[in-house]
Amino acid sequence: MSSRLFAITFDAHQPERLARFWSGVMGLERGGDPDEGVALPSGNVAGYRLGFRPSDKRKTAQNRLHFDLTSSSLEDQQETVARALALGAQHADVGQGPDASHVVLADPEGNEFCVIEPGNKFLAGCGFAGALACDGSQTVGYFWSEALGWPLVWDQDEETAIQSPDGGTKITWGGPPHMPDPGKDLHFDLAPDGDQQAEVERLVSLGAKRLDSDHGGDGAVLLADPDGHEFRVLTRR
């Protein structure tokens, strides 16, 4: 049994509005089955979607997951920042300091993201959405490598990263110290390759914890990874 990363999903007060923002920033067209909610194909060889699920959660701290967007030149970086600001983003201070070469922004619902300077070798060839940078332990990096079947491409000083065998977006975990739960964040939606319940049991055996059933009416099962970050196992599709 295994799962594929079906979507990286935002908690959203206004899903349609937030989807329009990310569509504009990343040049994505709306797609997918309307029964699955608001979704954008990522355009990334890693194969996931961007999802936007309605939520009334309040954001109380910096997100534990955020995108790092890549740039091919300083002009390209500036163009991405300008485009995002025109669509409703704002500059954000997460302690990066005035000499940082990357630019930190927040989308219209306060979700932070970074526009990385050109020449970043770690993200070379990963596409525009170069990385999903996560707060988390080495253990949770190992968990997600096993859960998704994505090999580790970095494992040093308690920092880990995985990447699809096909390439594309890297998912990274920064090690300690760990940030508090922000309440409103991004989450993983997994699609099992076979029986949903058998896949849930496999993930639990790897270290996940089963939570209450999801209340979205779509049959998803809500779990938490070893660091306590919630994710969903969808019905087979």
Side-chain angles (χ1 to χ4, degrees):
M1 290 295 296
S2 61
S3 289
R4 58 189 169 89
L5 180 59
F6 183 77
I8 296 169
T9 299
F10 292 74
D11 291 332
H13 294 159
Q14 296 180 283
E16 289 281 358
R17 180 190 179 206
L18 200 58
R20 285 195 299 271
F21 171 84
W22 283 98
S23 173
V25 169
M26 301 181 72
L28 304 175
E29 296 291 337
R30 173 75 177 268
D33 186 339
D35 292 336
E36 295 169 352
V38 184
L40 302 171
S42 68
N44 191 286
V45 296
Y48 62 87
R49 303 178 180 196
L50 296 181
F52 304 87
R53 285 177 54 80
S55 173
D56 58 3
K57 294 179 180 178
R58 296 180 60 84
K59 180 175 164 65
T60 59
Q62 180 183 333
N63 284 17
R64 293 187 291 188
L65 289 76
H66 72 267
F67 278 105
D68 286 341
L69 306 182
T70 62
S71 304
S72 60
S73 66
L74 286 175
E75 292 77 11
D76 183 47
Q77 182 186 29
Q78 293 165 357
E79 288 173 3
T80 299
V81 170
R83 182 168 67 252
L85 292 173
L87 289 166
Q90 294 184 346
H91 286 279
D93 183 356
V94 296
Q96 69 270 27
D99 298 327
S101 53
H102 63 284
V103 179
V104 184
L105 302 174
D107 72 19
E109 294 201 10
N111 301 298
E112 298 88 2
F113 63 100
C114 296
V115 185
I116 304 299
E117 69 281 0
N120 185 296
K121 294 181 179 179
F122 182 69
L123 300 181
C126 293
F128 184 50
L132 182 73
C134 309
D135 179 71
S137 66
Q138 185 181 54
T139 296
V140 87
Y142 294 167
F143 167 82
W144 281 109
S145 178
E146 290 287 336
L148 296 174
W150 288 18
L152 285 162
V153 294
W154 182 264
D155 185 9
Q156 184 173 315
D157 300 327
E158 298 190 71
E159 298 180 354
T160 52
I162 63 175
Q163 187 178 32
S164 165
D166 297 322
T169 301
K170 291 177 177 176
I171 304 178
T172 71
W173 291 270
H178 302 309
M179 297 188 294
D181 185 348
K184 181 175 177 287
D185 209 339
L186 286 69
H187 308 277
F188 296 156
D189 285 347
L190 307 188
D193 294 326
D195 179 73
Q196 180 195 42
Q197 292 306 315
E199 178 60 5
V200 167
E201 293 305 319
R202 184 185 76 92
L203 294 166
V204 168
S205 75
L206 294 175
K209 179 181 179 181
R210 186 163 184 161
L211 305 178
D212 292 336
S213 296
D214 185 70
H215 298 292
D218 56 4
V221 176
L222 187 64
L223 301 177
D225 70 20
D227 278 358
H229 303 162
E230 294 181 1
F231 67 97
R232 299 193 312 150
V233 181
L234 309 175
T235 55
R236 185 176 180 181
R237 58 198 63 206

